[in-house]
Amino acid sequence: LLLDEPTNHLDLAACVWLEERLSKYNKALVLVSHSEDFLNGVCTHIIEIARQTCTYYTGNYDVYTKTRLENENLQQQRYEKEQAEIKHIKD
């Protein structure tokens, strides 16, 4: 099932109904939405597509954002360590 912004133009009751139905949907669902609450209620796995790469995350939207931020911080720390080592070698 492919849904692009399914909550657009829905009232609150319809959004709640749709979220409840989709959270019980047991087949593949590709969902595009800007509603973090909706994503948290429906998604159990997230695939991020960026820079021609797909990255797979387990969990809802909040878990995805937390994990992605942690990964970015680790990558920044590795970069800074490498730069310090390069500077030390050059000096």
Side-chain angles (χ1 to χ4, degrees):
L1 181 60
L2 174 62
L3 298 173
D4 183 12
E5 297 290 351
T7 58
N8 283 1
H9 311 294
L10 296 181
D11 65 9
L12 181 59
C15 288
V16 170
W17 177 87
L18 182 61
E19 181 177 327
E20 288 174 358
R21 294 290 296 227
L22 292 177
S23 68
K24 296 174 185 164
Y25 188 72
N26 63 358
K27 296 186 174 40
L29 170 64
V30 177
L31 174 63
V32 177
S33 178
H34 288 92
S35 172
E36 294 178 15
D37 290 333
F38 186 76
L39 291 170
N40 276 325
V42 174
C43 297
T44 58
H45 299 80
I46 294 180
I47 299 173
E48 176 187 57
I49 303 170
R51 292 178 231 97
Q52 298 179 340
T53 303
C54 293
T55 306
Y56 182 81
Y57 297 88
T58 301
N60 65 13
Y61 186 79
D62 286 342
V63 172
Y64 154 73
T65 56
K66 180 179 179 237
T67 304
R68 193 181 90 209
L69 181 60
E70 289 170 355
N71 290 344
E72 288 173 358
N73 288 339
L74 286 173
Q75 184 178 10
Q76 182 65 33
Q77 290 172 0
R78 276 182 264 160
Y79 172 78
E80 289 170 2
K81 182 180 177 186
E82 288 173 359
Q83 293 304 306
E85 289 173 0
I86 290 170
K87 185 176 187 292
H88 177 72
I89 291 169
K90 287 183 177 181
D91 292 342

